[in-house]
Amino acid sequence: MRPTIHDVARVAGVSLSTVDRVLNGRHSVRAATRDRVETAMRSLGYVRNAAAANLSRRRILRFLFLLPGGANSFMRNLEAEVLTYSRLLVADGVEVEVRTLPPFDAAALDDALAAIEPGTCDGVALVAVDSPGVRAAVRRLRDRNLPVVTLISDLTPELRAHFVGINNVRAGRTAGRLLGRFCGGTTGRIAVMAGSMVLQDHAERDRGFREVLRANFPALTPMDPIEAFDDAAIAERTLTALLEQTADVVGIYSIGAGNRGLVSALDRRGGRPPVVVHELTENSRGWLLAGKIDAVIRQDPAREARSALRTLVALSNGKAFHKDENRVGIEIFLQDNLP
């Protein structure tokens, strides 16, 4: 038997009218409540009645998501969440294509954006690489009135219609505060490992991190970022070399992915400094429980996928959307509060 809105309301613990408001994109629903309803729909496999939805549908909306490929666990989780949520929107006339590109490759992203023919899609979501070519390609789409939503890593606000992601400066500041506390007055250097500084989110995290150390923990000196390009082998090799050459590393901040290499380098070295990483995955969960890292700063890929799709639907229909409902916050996980 197909699940009904009554089943969704029961599982989510809300009223039928609340489920109806979520299904119809009304803005009078709190973000946490909307998330509960959408999670219930996913878990039940609920799909709206296509015939009823078709009565109010005027056209098919086609959206393109351009995401980095590769082994980055967070990006693979984000891709899966986009595909999962898009299946709930099929009955409403929404089609979603997810295309993966080489990570950190501005030229590949530029080419993918330039190849979008007029009339072939109604909106684009992308993880931005900040380069002149990408900025020019996004500007051309904007001039064609095609909504562009940036995900995770942003561009300057005048180029895109909306950004879905966390405040990365605040995330970096949070990491600085955590490591400052963990180091407990120790004097020394903090190693910083990034994916690539051409990503605005990585650059902003690094900036916030340094701001907090400079203002509040002057005995701790952040080192220049190591660019590991989310590659565990590069991360292990470069961090091992850095630790061999630098005796006073008292903490490590990992801005991006490739953290299997970070942990391997520390396992080989022995004597572990405090470590803060981004993104809660099965690996980072295990490292927290084993005491190999100290804290994880997380952004929720499911919420980001839903927010991006809801935003594109609203923009394509010329409707206003409630930016606070689509806001994504950060979560901090220690060994003691893992979900």
Side-chain angles (χ1 to χ4, degrees):
M1 183 180 297
R2 290 177 57 181
T4 68
I5 62 169
H6 295 270
D7 299 314
V8 174
R10 175 178 51 79
V11 172
V14 300
S15 66
L16 289 174
S17 61
T18 297
V19 175
D20 180 74
R21 289 198 297 274
V22 172
L23 285 170
N24 289 289
R26 299 191 181 101
H27 301 313
S28 55
V29 183
R30 289 185 303 169
T33 303
R34 183 185 293 276
D35 285 346
R36 285 211 315 277
V37 172
E38 290 174 343
T39 298
M41 287 192 289
R42 288 208 317 278
S43 67
L44 291 167
Y46 173 81
V47 178
R48 291 185 69 178
N49 183 284
N54 286 341
L55 291 176
S56 60
R57 189 174 76 214
R58 288 176 296 177
R59 62 190 175 108
I60 299 293
L61 294 176
R62 297 180 176 87
F63 300 129
L64 173 63
F65 277 68
L66 299 173
L67 303 180
N72 184 318
S73 297
F74 175 78
M75 291 300 173
R76 300 289 65 76
N77 288 337
L78 177 65
E79 179 182 1
E81 294 292 350
V82 169
L83 292 172
T84 296
Y85 188 58
S86 67
R87 285 193 284 272
L88 298 177
L89 302 178
V90 169
D92 290 325
V94 175
E95 297 179 357
V96 177
E97 177 188 356
V98 177
R99 193 178 304 166
T100 57
L101 305 173
F104 314 113
D105 191 331
L109 180 55
D110 184 2
D111 290 343
L113 293 169
I116 298 173
E117 296 288 341
T120 59
C121 91
D122 298 281
V124 180
L126 60 96
V127 178
V129 178
D130 195 1
S131 74
V134 170
R135 290 195 295 271
V138 171
R139 189 176 290 109
R140 288 193 295 271
L141 295 179
R142 182 202 62 189
D143 291 344
R144 282 166 36 191
N145 295 316
L146 188 70
V148 175
V149 170
T150 50
L151 267 169
I152 319 300
S153 187
D154 201 6
L155 294 169
T156 53
E158 68 271 12
L159 290 177
R160 44 69 173 172
H162 189 56
F163 169 62
V164 175
I166 62 174
N167 184 313
N168 285 291
V169 174
R170 291 181 182 176
R173 291 180 63 86
T174 300
R177 184 77 59 181
L178 287 168
L179 274 169
R181 298 292 187 187
F182 289 146
C183 290
T186 305
T187 298
R189 298 194 228 189
I190 305 292
V192 179
M193 189 172 75
S196 172
M197 300 306 286
V198 301
L199 295 180
Q200 192 178 107
D201 60 322
H202 288 201
E204 289 179 343
R205 291 175 190 178
D206 183 61
R207 189 176 88 227
F209 181 70
R210 292 169 191 275
E211 288 173 357
V212 165
L213 292 192
R214 185 168 57 248
N216 300 279
F217 306 99
L220 299 175
T221 303
M223 302 180 72
D224 290 338
I226 299 169
E227 290 186 303
F229 302 101
D230 289 354
D231 186 304
I234 295 174
E236 181 176 1
R237 183 172 63 251
T238 53
L239 184 60
T240 296
L242 182 146
L243 294 173
E244 287 175 350
Q245 298 162 11
T246 312
D248 62 343
V249 173
V250 296
I252 300 174
Y253 175 35
S254 178
I255 291 174
N259 289 309
R260 284 185 295 109
L262 180 155
V263 171
S264 295
L266 293 178
D267 283 345
R268 292 198 316 178
R269 175 179 182 256
R272 185 184 62 79
V275 178
V276 173
V277 305
H278 279 266
E279 310 319 338
L280 186 64
T281 65
E282 287 308 307
N283 282 332
S284 59
R285 180 188 299 272
W287 298 329
L288 269 177
L289 292 173
K292 294 178 181 290
I293 62 176
D294 296 272
V296 174
I297 298 172
R298 178 185 185 248
Q299 55 187 318
D300 184 353
R303 174 169 285 189
E304 289 178 322
R306 296 193 297 265
S307 296
L309 279 163
R310 285 198 300 262
T311 300
L312 283 170
V313 169
L315 290 168
S316 298
N317 286 323
K319 294 182 178 178
F321 59 95
H322 199 301
K323 293 185 179 181
D324 284 341
E325 283 189 3
N326 287 348
R327 194 179 302 279
V328 179
I330 62 172
E331 299 170 291
I332 302 169
F333 291 108
L334 309 176
Q335 189 180 74
D336 310 285
N337 71 329
L338 281 170

